[in-house]
Amino acid sequence: MEDSNKIQMRKRNMKLFPIYKTLSWDYIFFYTVNFLFLTQVKNINPADVVLIDSFYYLFAMFSQIPATFVIEFLGRKNSIILGNILSCIYMVVIIFSNNLFYLIIAEVLSATAFAIKESAEPGLLNESIPPTKLKGKIFAKINEKGMSRYYIINAISTIIAGILYEVNPYIPILLSLTILMFTTLLSTLFIEPIKKTKKKKVQSTNQLKEIGEAFKFILKSERVKSLILFAAVMKGITSILSNYEISMLEELEISASYLGIIFAMLGIIAGFATKSQEKFHNQLRNKTLSALGFSVVGACFLAGILGIIAKQYQIGILLIIVFYAIKYIMVGMYDPLIEKYMSNFTNEEIDTKIFTANNFLRGISGAIFGILAAFLLDRMETAYCMIAVGVIFFILMILVCKFMKSRVGLKPEEYSKEEIKFDKMKQIV
C-alpha cells in the first residue's frame, strides 16, 4: 500500500504534466520569426544561420551523456528546472546576439536544455504513474493531452508572432522568453518521484558504473534497439521535411502571409491527430509504427511529384498541402506513441537512459540527414529533393521495419526475461 506522500506526488505530477507539456514542449512565438529576427534585425548572414541550425543536432548529440549524469545527480524535477533555466538563457542570448559567436553559444545552450528535458520529462511522468497494466495507456494519454494542446497554441502563436513582428521584431521573442520563465516556475511545482535514500547517496560514486550497466542493457535489448533505430529514421525524414516543406512552397511563389496560415492550420491538424493515437494503436497494434513511417515517406515522395506538376497546374499546390496534412497527422500520432513504447517495461533505473540513448541517436540522425538535405538542395529544386529523399527513406523504412518485425510489438510473455527485467509490473504482488 502506498503512503500518502507517494499518492500526493502521483496526483500532482499527473495533473500538472499536460499543462506543463503544452507550454514547454518547444519554443512558442519563436520559430516563425527567429530566422527573420537574426538576419534582418541582427544582420547575421543567412547562410550562417542555416549552418548553425543544422549543427544543432550535433550539439544535442554531445549533450546526451552529460545530461544523463545531470539527471542522476539532480533528480528528474531539478533537472527539468535546470533545462528550463538554460532555455531562458538561450532566449536572452538570442535577444542580445550580434554575431556568429553568440549564435553558437545560444545553440549549445538550447541543445543542452533539450537534451536534459527530453530525458527527464518522460522519466518523471513514467515514474509518477502507478504500476498497472494500463500504465502505457495512461502515459500516452497524459502525454498526448499536452502535445495536442501545444500544437494548437503554437499554431495560434505562429499567426500572432508574424503580426507582432511587423509592429516590433522584439515583441514575439520577448513573449517567447516570458512563456519560458513561466514554465520554469511551473516546473518547480512537480514533486520528485524518486527519493534518494542515504544508501543511494553513499553509492553515488558508482554512478558511472550504474549508467554503464544500463547502456549495456540497451545495446543487448533487441526491442529497445529496434525502437531507437526506427526513431532515428523518423527523425531524419521529419527534420528534412521541416525545411523542405517551406522551401518548396516558396519556390512555388506562395507568399509569407499564406505560408504562416498554411502551417498554422497544419499544426492544428497535428494537434487533433494526436488525440487519435490510442485508437490508431488499437487498430494496428504491432503494425502501428510501420504504418506511420511509410505514410510519412509516401507523403514526402508524392508531394515532391506534385511540386513538379504544380508549376503548370495550380491544383497541384492544393494537393501538396493535402499530403503535408497527411504527414502532420502521422507525426501528431507518432510523437506520443514512440515515447509510450519506449517507456514500456521500464523503471527508474533504466527509463531516463533509454530516452537519453534515443536522443543521442536522433541527434546523429538529424545531423547526418541534415547535411544530406543541404547537399541535395544545393544541386536541385526542392521538389526533386523530396522525391530523392522519399526513395532513400522508403528503402531505409523497409530495412528498419523488417528488423523490428520479430522484436517489437510482442506480448509481454513472448519477450525474454532479459528484455523485461526492468518491468515495474513485476513489483505488483
Side-chain angles (χ1 to χ4, degrees):
M1 192 75 177
E2 289 187 329
D3 59 42
S4 58
N5 289 335
K6 197 82 170 178
I7 294 172
Q8 182 186 3
M9 177 275 292
R10 296 193 190 284
K11 287 182 178 180
R12 168 80 68 83
N13 290 354
M14 290 168 67
K15 184 176 181 180
L16 180 62
F17 193 87
I19 301 171
Y20 167 80
K21 185 92 172 183
T22 300
L23 299 174
S24 70
W25 194 25
D26 211 339
Y27 303 127
I28 297 174
F29 285 107
F30 184 67
Y31 289 117
T32 55
V33 298
N34 63 321
F35 187 85
L36 296 175
F37 181 81
L38 292 172
T39 54
Q40 295 178 1
V41 180
K42 298 299 181 177
N43 296 316
I44 296 173
N45 191 303
D48 289 336
V49 177
V50 174
L51 180 64
I52 292 300
D53 187 55
S54 66
F55 276 92
Y56 165 85
Y57 294 108
L58 284 177
F59 299 144
M61 179 186 71
F62 288 118
S63 299
Q64 293 305 320
I65 300 302
T68 304
F69 284 101
V70 168
I71 296 168
E72 289 297 310
F73 181 74
L74 294 180
R76 289 154 175 78
K77 173 188 172 180
N78 290 334
S79 297
I80 292 171
I81 295 171
L82 174 62
N84 284 310
I85 291 173
L86 291 175
S87 291
C88 291
I89 298 173
Y90 161 76
M91 202 61 66
V92 171
V93 174
I94 288 293
I95 291 171
F96 290 101
S97 62
N98 53 23
N99 58 48
L100 189 59
F101 174 76
Y102 283 105
L103 198 56
I104 292 172
I105 296 298
E107 291 302 317
V108 170
L109 287 167
S110 181
T112 304
F114 278 101
I116 294 171
K117 289 173 59 179
E118 287 175 354
S119 294
E121 288 170 354
L124 181 137
L125 176 59
N126 189 47
E127 295 308 319
S128 299
I129 301 172
T132 168
K133 290 181 178 180
L134 297 176
K135 184 175 181 178
K137 186 175 181 179
I138 296 170
F139 180 98
K141 188 174 181 60
I142 294 173
N143 217 15
E144 160 262 302
K145 188 182 291 185
M147 288 179 179
S148 62
R149 291 173 180 174
Y150 164 82
Y151 277 121
I152 294 170
I153 287 179
N154 187 57
I156 296 170
S157 72
T158 296
I159 299 173
I160 296 174
I163 297 170
L164 293 176
Y165 183 85
E166 295 296 326
V167 178
N168 187 315
Y170 282 89
I171 293 177
I173 310 297
L174 289 171
L175 281 174
S176 186
L177 174 60
T178 301
I179 291 175
L180 286 170
M181 293 171 67
F182 177 75
T183 55
T184 302
L185 293 174
L186 198 63
S187 62
T188 63
L189 300 178
F190 285 120
I191 299 175
E192 175 59 47
I194 307 297
K195 300 293 183 181
K196 283 192 175 182
T197 62
K198 290 183 179 180
K199 184 178 179 181
K200 284 185 178 179
K201 289 178 181 178
V202 172
Q203 293 175 339
S204 61
T205 54
N206 296 323
Q207 197 176 92
L208 181 60
K209 183 179 178 181
E210 293 174 2
I211 292 173
E213 291 297 321
F215 277 99
K216 281 182 184 178
F217 163 77
I218 292 170
L219 291 172
K220 289 180 181 178
S221 172
E222 297 297 321
R223 175 185 167 275
V224 175
K225 280 192 297 185
S226 298
L227 289 172
I228 291 176
L229 184 62
F230 182 87
V233 173
M234 280 292 280
K235 182 62 179 179
I237 189 168
T238 54
S239 62
I240 288 174
L241 290 179
S242 65
N243 291 313
Y244 277 7
E245 287 166 350
I246 298 173
S247 178
M248 189 161 71
L249 290 180
E250 283 182 333
E251 289 177 4
L252 292 171
E253 300 181 351
I254 304 299
S255 68
S257 57
Y258 281 115
L259 284 176
I261 295 171
I262 288 169
F263 284 97
M265 294 302 297
L266 290 172
I268 293 174
I269 288 171
F272 284 113
T274 303
K275 296 178 180 293
S276 302
Q277 49 85 21
E278 190 64 29
K279 291 181 180 178
F280 194 78
H281 164 78
N282 289 336
Q283 288 178 348
L284 297 179
R285 294 293 177 179
N286 59 354
K287 296 180 181 178
T288 301
L289 290 179
S290 58
L292 291 170
F294 281 113
S295 295
V296 171
V297 171
C300 171
F301 179 82
L302 292 172
I305 295 290
L306 288 165
I308 299 171
I309 297 173
K311 291 180 180 179
Q312 294 183 339
Y313 303 99
Q314 292 293 306
I315 188 67
I317 295 175
L318 179 61
L319 293 174
I320 287 170
I321 296 171
V322 170
F323 282 109
Y324 281 8
I326 292 172
K327 174 254 179 177
Y328 272 77
I329 289 169
M330 296 300 111
V331 173
M333 291 189 287
Y334 166 78
D335 285 328
L337 282 173
I338 194 65
E339 287 193 0
K340 168 190 170 181
Y341 296 154
M342 287 190 179
S343 67
N344 287 340
F345 311 127
T346 65
N347 61 14
E348 70 275 7
E349 295 179 48
I350 196 68
D351 53 7
T352 57
K353 283 85 170 181
I354 289 177
F355 293 123
T356 298
N358 177 48
N359 294 335
F360 181 82
L361 196 57
R362 287 199 315 164
I364 296 175
S365 175
I368 292 174
F369 289 118
I371 294 170
L372 171 64
F375 175 82
L376 292 173
L377 196 58
D378 193 43
R379 285 158 177 77
M380 61 181 88
E381 294 179 7
T382 309
Y384 293 102
C385 291
M386 291 184 78
I387 293 171
V389 166
V391 172
I392 292 169
F393 277 90
F394 179 73
I395 296 169
L396 289 174
M397 199 61 69
I398 290 175
L399 294 174
V400 75
C401 287
K402 185 176 180 181
F403 182 79
M404 285 197 309
K405 190 173 182 180
S406 60
R407 295 172 172 86
V408 178
L410 309 179
K411 296 178 181 178
E413 60 270 17
E414 294 177 321
Y415 287 109
S416 67
K417 290 182 179 180
E418 179 68 19
E419 287 279 4
I420 59 173
K421 70 177 184 179
F422 291 103
D423 186 5
K424 204 159 188 176
M425 280 297 295
K426 291 180 178 180
Q427 299 176 11
I428 302 176
V429 179

